[in-house]
C-alpha cells in the first residue's frame, strides 16, 4: 500500500542515533525529504554520509532542543533546505535515573527542558510552519513509563505522562489547522539510551514483555510511518500508540512461554 509519504518533509529532533535515526532512514526510504538535529556534530556528519551513500538528501542541524533558539533554527533550516515542514517528530529525550530526593535542580531542569519544554515549544514552532503550508502531523515520542511509571525514574516518567497529555490537548487546539498530533509509546528499546541498563538487567527487563524480547529501533518504524500517513491514519489524532511487545499486559507476561 502506498502510504502517500513521498516528497513529504520530515523534521526529527534527536535523529542522529537510536529510534530517531532508524525512523529518519525509514522516512527517506519512503521518498521523504528528511531533516534531523542533535547536539553532536560528528554524529550528524556520519549520518549525512550514510544518507548520501543511499542517494537520500538530508538536512542536519547541530542543535540542543532544550534551547528555544536552537529549535527555531532547526525548523528554519529545514524550511530553507526542503521548502516546508509536513511532519515534525519531537523525539529527543533525556533521563537522569536517581531516587527522586537525590535529583539536583540542574538535573531536573535538563530532563524537563528536553522532554517537556522542547515538545511544547517544538510543537508550537512546527505548527507555525505547518499553518503556512496547509497542515501536517506532529508525532511525540513518549515512553511506557508514561503509562506505568518507573521507581527511580520519577521525573522522566512524569515528563512522558505530560507528553501524552500534550498530545491530547494539542490535537484539539490544532485540529482546525489540519494538523494531527499523535504519539508513539516505545517499551524498552535497545539503544545507547538503554545499553548500560540492558547489560546489567536484561533478564529482568525481558520478564515484563509478553513477546519475550526487548525491541530494536527497527520495531518502532512502522508506528511512525503509519501515524504520519494521511492515507491510512488521516482520522487518527490525539492518541499515543504503545509499541511495547505486550509489556505488562498481564501480571504474568511470560505465561505462554513458560507453559511450553
Ligand atoms: P538515543 O540515546 O539512542 O538517541 C537520542 C538521540 O537524541 C540522539 O540523536 C541524540 O544526539 C539526540 N539528543 C539527545 N538529547 C538531545 C538534545 N538535548 N537536543 C538535541 N538532540 C538530542 O535515544 P533513544 O533513541 O533510545 O530515545 C529516543 C526517544 O525515545 C527519547 O525521547 C526517549 O525518552 C524515548 N524512549 C526510549 C526508550 C528506549 O528504551 N530506548 C523507551 C521509551 C522511550 P546527541 O546526543 O548528539 O544530541
Amino acid at each position: 500500500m502506498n502510504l502517500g509519504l513521498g516528497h513529504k518533509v520530515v523534521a526529527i529532533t534527536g535523529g542522529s542515533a537510536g529510534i530517531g535515526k532508524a525512523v529518519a532512514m525509514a522516512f527517506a526510504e519512503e521518498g521523504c525529504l528528511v531533516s534531523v538535529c542533535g547536539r553532536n556534530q560528528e554524529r550528524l556528519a556520519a549520518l549525512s554520509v550514510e544518507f548520501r551513500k543511499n542517494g537520500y538528501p538530508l538536512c542536519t542541524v547541530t542543535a540542543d532542543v532544550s534551547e528555544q533558539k536552537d529549535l527555531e533554527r532547526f525548523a528554519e533550516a529545514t524550511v530553507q533546505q526542503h521548502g516546508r515542514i509536513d511532519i515534525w517528530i519531537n523525539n529527543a529525550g533525556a533521563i537522569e535515573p536517581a531516587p527522586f530526593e537525590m535529583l539536583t535542580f540542574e538535573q531536573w531542569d535538563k530532563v524537563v527542558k528536553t522532554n517537556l519544554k522542547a515538545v511544547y515549544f517544538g510543537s508550537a514552532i512546527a505548527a507555525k510552519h505547518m499553518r503556512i503550508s496547509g497542515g501536517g502531523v506532529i508525532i511525540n515520542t513518549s515512553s511506557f513509563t508514561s503509562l506505568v511509571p518507573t521507581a527511580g525514574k520519577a521525573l522522566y516518567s512524569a515528563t512522558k505522562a505530560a507528553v501524552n497529555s500534550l498530545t491530547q490537548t494539542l490535537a484539539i487546539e490544532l485540529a482546525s489547522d489540519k494538523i494531527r498530533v499523535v504519539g508513539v509509546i516505545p517499551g524498552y528499546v535497545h539503544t545507547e539510551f538503554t545499553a548500560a541498563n540492558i547489560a546489567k538487567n536484561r533478564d529482568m527487563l525481558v520478564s515484563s514483555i509478553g513477546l519475550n524480547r526487548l525491541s530494536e529501533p527497527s520495531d518502532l518504524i512502522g508506528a511512525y510511518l503509519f501515524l504520519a500517513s494521511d492515507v491510512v491514519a488521516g482520522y487518527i489524532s490525539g492518541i499515543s500508540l504503545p509499541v511495547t511487545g505486550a509489556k505488562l499486559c498481564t501480571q504474568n507476561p511470560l505465561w505462554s512461554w513458560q507453559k511450553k
Side-chain angles (χ1 to χ4, degrees):
M1 178 178 225
N2 185 347
L3 293 175
L5 292 171
H7 306 296
K8 295 275 186 191
V9 176
V10 187
I12 307 171
T13 71
S16 60
I19 298 168
K21 179 180 169 183
V23 167
M25 194 54 93
F27 276 106
E29 283 163 6
E30 289 295 313
C32 298
L33 301 168
V34 178
S35 179
V36 298
C37 76
R39 294 161 303 175
N40 183 317
Q41 210 275 326
E42 281 166 22
R43 225 162 18 182
L44 291 168
L47 189 65
S48 287
V49 172
E50 229 177 290
F51 266 61
R52 219 174 306 127
K53 259 192 219 150
N54 288 290
Y56 304 138
L58 179 70
C59 170
T60 60
V61 177
T62 310
D64 183 338
V65 297
S66 63
E67 299 292 334
Q68 188 175 357
K69 62 175 179 0
D70 282 20
L71 281 170
E72 278 163 359
R73 212 163 35 76
F74 176 47
E76 275 152 25
T78 302
V79 173
Q80 205 166 15
Q81 186 156 335
H82 292 324
R84 58 186 192 283
I85 297 172
D86 298 310
I87 297 156
W88 174 276
I89 305 181
N90 289 305
N91 173 71
I95 194 163
E96 294 285 348
F100 90 95
E101 290 159 294
M102 303 297 286
L103 215 66
T104 63
F105 269 54
E106 291 73 25
Q107 288 173 312
W108 198 96
D109 280 348
K110 179 183 164 194
V111 174
V112 173
K113 277 183 177 174
T114 311
N115 294 1
L116 184 54
K117 206 170 176 183
V119 174
Y120 189 100
F121 287 101
S123 299
I125 291 164
K128 189 181 77 184
H129 287 284
M130 286 172 181
R131 268 188 211 106
I132 297 167
S133 52
V137 186
I138 296 172
I139 306 180
N140 298 322
T141 302
S142 179
S143 165
F144 187 72
T145 59
S146 68
L147 306 178
V148 181
T150 313
K153 297 177 185 168
L155 180 62
Y156 177 78
S157 306
T159 58
K160 293 296 190 178
V163 166
N164 295 355
S165 172
L166 277 184
T167 297
Q168 292 175 283
T169 321
L170 302 193
I172 300 307
E173 294 205 17
L174 296 174
S176 63
D177 293 308
K178 298 192 171 56
I179 299 171
R180 294 187 293 112
V181 185
V182 287
V184 174
I185 298 181
Y188 215 87
V189 192
H190 197 177
T191 66
E192 262 176 47
F193 203 66
T194 50
N197 197 24
I198 290 173
K200 256 197 290 176
N201 299 311
R202 176 182 286 274
D203 289 350
M204 185 271 288
L205 293 166
V206 172
S207 70
S208 67
I209 300 172
L211 296 191
N212 202 9
R213 66 172 178 89
L214 301 175
S215 59
E216 296 298 325
S218 57
D219 289 309
L220 276 295
I221 287 170
Y224 287 88
L225 295 180
F226 165 70
L227 290 169
S229 164
D230 287 332
V231 173
V232 289
Y235 197 60
I236 297 179
S237 194
I239 58 106
S240 298
L241 176 64
V243 185
T244 61
K247 188 173 162 83
L248 290 178
C249 269
T250 64
Q251 295 190 43
N252 46 351
L254 293 185
W255 183 84
S256 89
W257 303 88
Q258 284 155 350
K259 82 181 172 50
K260 281 191 175 144

